[in-house]
Amino acid sequence: MSRTRSVAGSGQGIHRRSVLAATGAVALSAGVGYALRPSESQAATAEEATQAVAASSRQAPAAPLAPYTKGTTVASVAAPRGSSGYRRMGDGPGWQRVVRSDLAAPKSGRAGRRTALAGFVQLTDLHIIDAQHPLRLEYLRSADIHAWRPHEALTVQGAIALVERINALRGAPVTGAPLHFAMTTGDNTDNNAKSELDWFLKIMSGGRITPNSGDPRQYEGVQNSGLKQYWQPDSAVRDSDKQVGFPHLDGFLKAAIREVRSPGLNLPWYSTVGNHDSLPMGCYASHGDSYLTELAVGGKKLMNVTAAEAQQLQAQIKKARDPQGVRYHDFLKSHARSMRSVTPDESRAPFTPAEYLRAHLDPAHRGVGPAGHGYSSANLDTGTQYYAFRISDDVIGISLDTTDSGGHYEGSIGTAQLKWLDKTLRDNKDSYAVIFSHHTSKTMTNLRSDLARPNERRHNGQEVLALLGGHPRVLAWVNGHIHKNVITPHAMASGGSFWEISTASHVDFPQLARVIELADNKDGTISLFTTLVESSAPHRTDFSDLSQTGLAALYRELSLNSPGASTTLGGDPEDRNTELVLKKG
């Protein structure tokens, strides 16, 4: 029988590999392990894991499986028209698939032999932004033009359009098999604000969202401040962005804060935490600073500082000179008189790791499941944000927490999590494994002491690579953080080999997510297929269309034109749509 059928079907029989060994269940409970019941697509506790069978998000189709590339970047990609000034978007040719043989030679005839093991969607770095939040760092733009993006008020509309695109995929692009789940790999929120967390969870699980905070009647932020360093879309002010071609759009800000609706994903989704989800501004370990919390929910907002002051603050952030936000506190206090009045709002308060977990566990945000989206009450009990779950009969998923509560935006993991990762892989050695995290191996360089575990050693990305290399059935490490498509082969001295798949963000152009398929070629090799997808918003924009869909299209076009934006985040062809070949471990 085709493995695709056994993975996707809804039979109640227990497959050998779908059962987590008793010892494995104990190991998983340290970070909290999950397996899905096919009839409910919901999480089971570690104690229930020995009863659980493989995940199933959709019924296997009655018709023969066929590749499904409609709506993917294989079919078409949004492309700029023109080479200078403000560029409009249009339809462009699709990106071809590149076969990569860095780790194993592909064998002829494999397409006719292969069976699907699993397929899923990765979303990363959505950066859902409360654009009016008092603790945003927009004023750094006076020293660095790309420190603020003109499209930041439209992250909710853009993310909903991405959910709509994923829902429209009727099968995996190469195998045609049903997609099992979606995984967000961190920076789901932008500024560790409760308002942003609420919007993110409603985007993913469905609901009505008003992407506005403060005054319910109007926008209050830098885009109607009259300051020329920000795009003033509704105003006649000749700001710096209009000078390079940005449009005047009457009613833009009113439309941007209007209520919208997300259908929610129509397949199970899991959540991985990123530094912007854990730390205010993505870099400050400042949860205990009452002054900063009061500013976050209060009625004052700093919008403008000198270039010299902005440059100094930015240097402190980038060089990790102020990981706990002490100098940031002093900086804001010294500018208290130059802050502008805004409407106070308690929803802008920073959230703690425990509050992040509780929000995911809230039944109101369950959608189609699983309950907790990977997390459970055991995570609350142990103060952890990592877990394992079963993807299919033959594959487990492991979600890591690579953030460091000691501050700074780069990552690492503690000894307890590293040992848990090793034990989880050993206890499930008969299964292939896919690792998920926010940080990449190269950006796990932050070895600051974890404030919650000050005596625990931190470990960098090279140590994680070495550990994974000791487990021959690890297939991939899937992550984000760098906002760029990069696929890296790892052939480790210990004998293991796997692919590290880093995917571009959905806040910076080209605003992508990625479908990843795992297939057994039945010839001693496995192929991982990666296919990028854009949101469902049309490539062409209409400045007179300020509907939810029109704003999602504008979100993409504005991100293309954002001053100072990188032009290389899409990566090279070998980092986009690929077939990644591996020897079977």
Side-chain angles (χ1 to χ4, degrees):
M1 179 182 290
S2 165
R3 178 66 67 194
T4 299
R5 301 291 179 171
S6 65
V7 168
S10 58
Q12 298 297 311
I14 298 180
H15 188 281
R16 178 178 62 87
R17 288 199 182 107
S18 71
V19 179
L20 294 175
T23 54
V26 172
L28 287 167
S29 69
V32 189
Y34 287 88
L36 297 181
R37 298 183 184 280
S39 60
E40 299 179 354
S41 291
Q42 69 180 22
T45 64
E47 290 76 14
E48 293 170 332
T50 54
Q51 304 279 329
V53 300
S56 174
S57 59
R58 296 173 180 164
Q59 297 296 319
L65 300 178
Y68 189 88
T69 59
K70 182 179 179 182
T72 74
T73 59
V74 173
S76 180
V77 182
R81 296 153 62 186
S83 58
S84 61
Y86 183 93
R87 294 176 292 170
R88 306 302 299 274
M89 298 295 294
D91 298 330
W95 290 332
Q96 293 185 338
R97 194 172 303 281
V98 176
V99 179
R100 293 191 57 174
S101 56
D102 310 54
L103 297 176
K107 298 180 181 181
S108 61
R110 64 192 182 282
R113 294 189 300 269
R114 70 172 54 110
T115 58
L117 297 172
F120 58 90
V121 184
Q122 178 206 9
L123 302 83
T124 194
D125 296 87
L126 292 173
H127 284 277
I128 301 304
I129 295 173
D130 181 345
Q132 302 168 76
H133 196 286
L135 290 189
R136 293 197 59 73
L137 300 167
E138 298 113 330
Y139 42 79
L140 293 182
R141 203 185 202 210
S142 62
D144 182 355
I145 191 64
H146 71 267
W148 174 79
R149 311 172 184 92
H151 56 285
E152 288 184 351
L154 301 179
T155 56
V156 169
Q157 293 87 345
I160 291 173
L162 182 59
V163 166
E164 292 171 342
R165 166 61 66 215
I166 294 168
N167 287 348
L169 297 174
R170 299 307 175 198
V174 176
T175 64
L179 296 170
H180 284 71
F181 67 99
M183 169 66 83
T184 70
T185 52
D187 284 3
N188 307 306
T189 64
D190 187 73
N191 198 23
N192 183 241
K194 290 181 179 178
S195 53
E196 296 170 343
L197 180 57
D198 179 67
W199 301 345
F200 160 70
L201 292 168
K202 288 177 179 175
I203 288 166
M204 298 295 288
S205 289
R208 295 189 177 276
I209 306 157
T210 301
N212 182 36
S213 63
D215 191 334
R217 302 161 299 176
Q218 63 182 344
Y219 170 95
E220 299 174 301
V222 298
Q223 286 194 268
N224 66 352
S225 65
L227 295 168
K228 292 185 178 181
Q229 71 184 37
Y230 308 110
W231 179 43
Q232 308 290 300
D234 294 84
S235 168
V237 171
R238 186 71 174 162
D239 57 66
S240 59
D241 294 304
K242 290 201 186 96
Q243 290 175 31
V244 295
F246 272 67
H248 173 88
L249 298 177
D250 284 325
F252 174 87
L253 293 175
K254 182 178 180 180
I257 63 173
R258 188 172 54 218
E259 183 185 81
V260 292
R261 181 186 178 278
S262 173
L265 285 168
N266 63 4
L267 69 165
W269 68 270
Y270 292 81
S271 185
T272 295
V273 67
N275 55 291
H276 279 262
D277 304 313
S278 296
L279 305 170
M281 281 64 72
C283 60
Y284 290 130
S286 58
H287 281 115
D289 190 323
S290 60
Y291 175 76
L292 293 178
T293 298
E294 288 169 7
L295 278 180
V297 302
K300 295 292 182 179
K301 178 177 172 64
L302 184 62
M303 299 188 188
N304 193 33
V305 300
T306 68
E309 291 171 316
Q311 190 172 27
Q312 183 180 26
L313 179 60
Q314 189 176 52
Q316 290 174 3
I317 294 171
K318 287 187 174 181
K319 297 180 181 181
R321 294 173 180 163
D322 185 29
Q324 295 187 35
V326 176
R327 295 181 184 178
Y328 178 60
H329 171 132
D330 294 339
F331 171 83
L332 290 176
K333 205 163 190 177
S334 70
H335 287 82
R337 292 187 178 182
S338 56
M339 293 181 181
R340 299 192 178 194
S341 295
V342 295
T343 304
D345 191 337
E346 291 290 330
S347 77
R348 293 167 170 163
F351 55 83
T352 65
E355 288 170 329
Y356 185 75
L357 293 172
R358 291 190 190 100
H360 279 75
L361 289 161
D362 187 338
H365 300 311
R366 177 169 175 170
V368 298
H373 305 290
Y375 302 116
S376 85
S377 58
N379 283 114
L380 280 169
D381 294 340
T382 57
T384 59
Q385 289 183 296
Y386 50 89
Y387 59 90
F389 64 106
R390 182 153 295 280
I391 294 173
S392 68
D393 288 354
D394 300 292
V395 187
I396 63 166
I398 298 175
S399 173
L400 301 178
D401 173 10
T402 56
T403 63
D404 190 331
S405 70
H408 192 45
Y409 51 79
E410 304 293 40
S412 61
I413 64 174
T415 297
Q417 185 176 181
L418 191 73
K419 289 181 177 179
W420 170 86
L421 172 61
D422 185 44
K423 183 165 176 54
T424 300
L425 289 168
R426 284 190 285 108
D427 289 341
N428 292 276
K429 62 183 182 297
D430 290 336
S431 295
Y432 295 113
V434 179
I435 313 302
F436 299 95
S437 73
H438 179 63
H439 292 89
T440 67
S441 60
K442 289 184 178 180
T443 58
M444 289 179 64
T445 58
N446 178 14
L447 302 182
R448 248 168 217 88
S449 175
D450 181 344
L451 298 180
R453 300 169 180 82
N455 297 319
E456 183 181 44
R457 184 187 161 207
R458 303 293 293 183
H459 301 269
N460 64 24
Q462 293 305 307
E463 292 175 274
V464 176
L465 285 174
L467 186 153
L468 297 179
H471 294 276
R473 291 176 76 85
V474 171
L475 302 180
W477 182 358
V478 179
N479 50 46
H481 186 62
I482 58 175
H483 291 212
K484 183 177 182 178
N485 291 318
V486 179
I487 298 179
T488 306
H490 291 293
M492 308 306 296
S494 53
S497 61
F498 55 92
W499 292 92
E500 184 171 358
I501 302 170
S502 307
T503 301
S505 74
H506 202 253
V507 69
D508 292 316
F509 189 81
Q511 296 186 338
L512 301 168
R514 199 189 294 262
V515 179
I516 299 175
E517 302 170 69
L518 315 177
D520 185 343
N521 293 321
K522 301 298 183 181
D523 58 11
T525 67
I526 285 177
S527 287
L528 284 67
F529 297 98
T530 73
T531 307
L532 294 162
V533 295
E534 302 172 298
S535 81
S536 64
H539 292 162
R540 297 180 186 274
T541 59
D542 178 351
F543 288 157
S544 66
D545 181 5
L546 298 180
S547 67
Q548 180 175 329
T549 299
L551 291 175
L554 190 59
Y555 180 59
R556 183 193 292 124
E557 183 170 287
L558 292 173
S559 74
L560 166 71
N561 288 282
S562 183
S566 172
T567 60
T568 64
L569 299 182
D572 295 324
E574 59 267 28
D575 302 308
R576 299 173 186 168
N577 300 332
T578 67
E579 179 184 358
L580 312 173
V581 186
L582 275 174
K583 292 180 182 178
K584 289 181 71 171

